Amino acid sequence: MTARVYIPDHEYKERIQRAAKLAADKGLDILIVNSNEADYANARYFSGFWPLFERAGVAITPAGDAALMVGPESSVYARDFGKIDKQFTLMEYRESANP
């Protein structure tokens, strides 16, 4: 049996730190990446979380602080799979067909 292939938690932290440095170098107040169910690569790259039917985003400050932003139906799933401790549930990230 082969070993399970996975991205270690420290890799997500290193990715955030590299993005924070880029944000600082460019003079940004914050870097925000967004994802949806069809194109989830951005949020997943930094957080390990991918939205199944809602949107998600990751906010990264030049100081290296990061937050995962998800819709209201994804908050439990994000806590279970996300690798970022700070998580916020926002109506702006809800499922696109939600009235």
Side-chain angles (χ1 to χ4, degrees), residues 20-39:
K21 183 180 181 326
L22 290 172
D25 291 348
K26 296 293 184 183
L28 301 176
D29 294 327
I30 195 160
L31 171 67
I32 297 176
V33 299
N34 290 298
S35 294
N36 59 40
E37 67 279 2
D39 185 9

Side-chain angles (χ1 to χ4, degrees), residues 37 51-55 73-74 94-96:
E37 67 279 2
L52 297 176
F53 57 91
E54 291 187 307
R55 296 175 196 90
E73 295 184 55
S74 297
R94 71 184 177 273
E95 194 265 326
S96 60

Side-chain angles (χ1 to χ4, degrees), residues 3 6 13-14 16 26 31-32 36 40 46 55 59 89 91:
Y6 69 98
K13 291 177 175 57
E14 291 168 7
I16 289 168
K26 296 293 184 183
L31 171 67
I32 297 176
N36 59 40
Y40 52 80
F46 290 109
R55 296 175 196 90
T89 302
M91 290 301 291

Side-chain angles (χ1 to χ4, degrees), residues 35-90:
S35 294
N36 59 40
E37 67 279 2
D39 185 9
Y40 52 80
N42 292 329
R44 189 173 185 188
Y45 181 81
F46 290 109
S47 70
F49 170 77
W50 62 98
L52 297 176
F53 57 91
E54 291 187 307
R55 296 175 196 90
V58 176
I60 303 170
T61 69
D65 292 325
L68 175 60
M69 303 172 290
V70 299
E73 295 184 55
S74 297
S75 59
V76 172
Y77 183 56
R79 280 194 301 275
D80 288 345
F81 287 92
K83 305 298 183 183
I84 297 175
D85 294 332
K86 294 178 186 172
Q87 295 182 7
F88 295 91
T89 302
L90 305 167

